[in-house]
Amino acid sequence: MPVGLVSITVGLWAVGRLPEYLTALLFFAAAMVLNAAPADVVFAGFLSSAFWLVLSGFVLGAAIRKVGLADRAARSLSTYLCGSWLCMVGGVVLLTYALAFVMPSNMGRIALLMPVVMALADRAGLADGGRGRIGLALAVGFGTFQLSASILPANVPNLVMAGTAETTFGIHLSYLPYLLLHAPVLGLLKGTVLVGCICFLFPAQPKRPATIETSSSLTLPEIRLGLLLLATLALWMTDALHGIGPAWIGLAAACICLLPRIGFLTGEDFASGVNFRTCIYIAGILGLAAFVTHTGLGDMIGRFLLAVLPLDPERPASNFGTLVGLNTALNFVVTANGVPALYTPLARTLADGSGLPLLTVLMVQVIGYATPLLPYQASPIVVAMGMGEVPARDGIILCLTLATLTFAVLVPLDYLWFRMLGLMHG
């Protein structure tokens, strides 16, 4: 029964025939009606810090949009981005990465940035349907999803992984060590490769706008929200010192945003700004991961993989590549959000078979789910392509090109970086 329940749930998420939140609700209902696991296991996602960080991320994103703070920052930066195509693409990719530090929601960042970037394309004389406009839309989607994987609270798969690792192994990931591990290669170097790919595949010649927009002074709500975001970011970066998890820091900031008179959002803003469908989906994924562990399915799948995968404790580099390949394969079936839910519970078994530390086995998956081979594997990229009216063929070409360069160049560099940090030996 557990095998059937997990297979049907994962299958429905993979084919997308039902809305993702409805599949999660069906999983909750079926697991409880069939008495397949205790309620605290089935609904473990609602107890996870990942769920609350997603919720608070939506609240912060709604506040940023309402007061116009991020829109102002994007407009100010756009004045300097039209000098050349390389500068323009690089600036947009850098903006997606910088915004990920203060706005945890991928979808929120795309919804915020895409209208601004498309307006920037208009000012630069990039025609509708042209290569340049397509390139900028893809820069928003790929930069938002792929680069944010290097920042712990900025990416849904990261939150699923962190929540599942906490639920399954009692491992609490910290903001700054995670950033040190992934930002140099998966953030900075991958961002550079992304800019090069877009400039090569989607060449354009932007025109500098004739008139420069003057910005008005910051309003009081913008100043207050800016200070709140700076304080939140500072607390996120120092969580190893004060011991307060990123989710609870984000939740406190979200509560401040919702307070009457003091905050920035009304009850109606909260209802319209928070994507409860995604929140329920995240709770369903985390609940499924806990269910897999509780019923012993994780151990069963782990034993099967150990018999199939060429893992050898004497060959750490080969094991590293094999685990990256495993996550890439899982990405085809369950997409990026589902990969950590299936892979993380297997980490202990995979660590025993490969001889790698448990933390290393957990962290390797970030490389796999952050590098989709096709756009459907990362829903934020699909959303960005839709908002930017990008043809599917162009998204697929960029996906495959970037993935090829990642596996050929960045994965070996990532292995060397893991090794330098002492994560390749137990």
Side-chain angles (χ1 to χ4, degrees):
M1 182 175 62
V3 173
L5 186 55
V6 171
S7 300
I8 291 172
T9 303
V10 171
L12 288 173
W13 276 332
V15 301
R17 298 292 293 177
L18 293 177
E20 70 285 347
Y21 72 93
L22 179 55
T23 300
L25 292 174
L26 288 172
F27 164 72
F28 293 146
M32 294 309 298
V33 168
L34 297 173
N35 197 26
D40 60 342
V41 173
V42 176
F43 297 106
F46 293 100
L47 305 176
S48 170
S49 58
F51 172 84
W52 294 103
L53 190 51
V54 171
L55 181 64
S56 59
F58 279 121
V59 174
L60 291 174
I64 291 172
R65 286 195 298 273
K66 183 173 182 181
V67 304
L69 188 62
D71 198 23
R72 172 190 291 273
R75 283 201 312 270
S76 300
L77 286 171
S78 70
T79 306
Y80 307 99
L81 299 183
C82 297
S84 69
W85 183 231
L86 178 62
C87 179
M88 200 171 186
V89 174
V92 170
V93 171
L94 182 61
L95 185 59
T96 65
Y97 195 38
L99 197 57
F101 282 93
V102 295
M103 193 173 179
S105 168
N106 271 334
M107 297 299 189
R109 292 195 300 276
I110 288 174
L112 176 71
L113 282 177
M114 190 61 77
V116 176
V117 171
M118 291 297 97
L120 174 63
D122 290 335
R123 295 185 65 198
L126 301 177
D128 288 346
R131 305 299 288 168
R133 199 177 189 90
I134 289 172
L136 287 184
L138 290 173
V140 173
F142 279 72
T144 295
F145 174 76
Q146 298 209 19
L147 305 188
S148 65
S150 64
I151 306 167
L152 183 57
N155 191 304
V156 169
N158 289 0
L159 300 178
V160 175
M161 176 190 64
T164 308
E166 179 184 339
T167 303
T168 308
F169 306 112
I171 293 177
H172 301 273
L173 300 177
S174 296
Y175 186 100
L176 216 51
Y178 184 95
L179 187 67
L180 174 64
L181 179 61
H182 291 298
V185 178
L186 292 184
L188 300 178
L189 288 181
K190 194 169 191 179
T192 304
V193 173
L194 174 61
V195 171
C197 288
I198 292 175
C199 288
F200 177 75
L201 294 172
F202 307 97
Q205 293 182 335
K207 300 175 183 177
R208 189 180 292 276
T211 59
I212 298 177
E213 233 177 89
T214 56
S215 297
S216 58
S217 301
L218 287 169
T219 63
L220 182 59
E222 287 174 333
I223 294 173
R224 288 171 50 231
L225 180 57
L227 293 174
L228 176 62
L229 291 173
L230 287 175
T232 303
L233 178 60
L235 289 171
W236 273 342
M237 296 183 69
T238 56
D239 63 342
L241 298 177
H242 52 68
I244 304 174
W248 317 130
I249 296 168
L251 183 58
C255 289
I256 294 174
C257 291
L258 292 167
L259 286 173
R261 299 183 182 179
I262 298 174
F264 312 95
L265 300 174
T266 63
E268 290 75 18
D269 294 328
F270 176 73
S272 61
V274 176
N275 189 335
F276 291 102
R277 292 173 49 144
T278 300
C279 293
I280 292 174
Y281 177 38
I282 296 302
I285 289 174
L286 294 172
L288 182 71
F291 181 81
V292 167
T293 302
H294 176 81
T295 57
L297 285 177
D299 291 336
M300 183 181 73
I301 298 173
R303 287 193 296 270
F304 171 76
L305 290 174
L306 279 178
V308 174
L309 295 175
L311 297 177
D312 183 353
E314 301 299 322
R315 303 170 61 192
S318 174
N319 294 336
F320 190 89
T322 298
L323 294 179
V324 172
L326 170 62
N327 283 280
T328 302
L330 291 177
N331 218 349
F332 275 100
V333 181
V334 294
T335 72
N337 289 348
V339 167
L342 283 185
Y343 175 88
T344 304
L346 312 178
R348 176 74 68 186
T349 305
L350 294 171
D352 293 340
S354 64
L356 298 175
L358 175 60
L359 182 61
T360 301
V361 174
L362 288 171
M363 292 296 98
V364 165
Q365 67 180 298
V366 180
I367 307 168
Y369 65 61
T371 311
L373 293 178
L374 296 172
Y376 86 91
Q377 296 172 353
S379 53
I381 292 178
V382 175
V383 171
M385 289 174 60
M387 293 181 68
E389 299 181 353
V390 177
R393 179 177 177 274
D394 292 317
I396 292 171
I397 289 174
L398 182 57
C399 255
L400 292 174
T401 304
L402 187 58
T404 300
L405 291 174
T406 297
F407 297 139
V409 179
L410 298 184
V411 170
L413 291 176
D414 232 339
Y415 169 76
L416 294 176
W417 183 242
F418 272 60
R419 189 170 180 176
M420 284 179 61
L421 295 178
L423 289 177
M424 297 309 299
H425 303 285

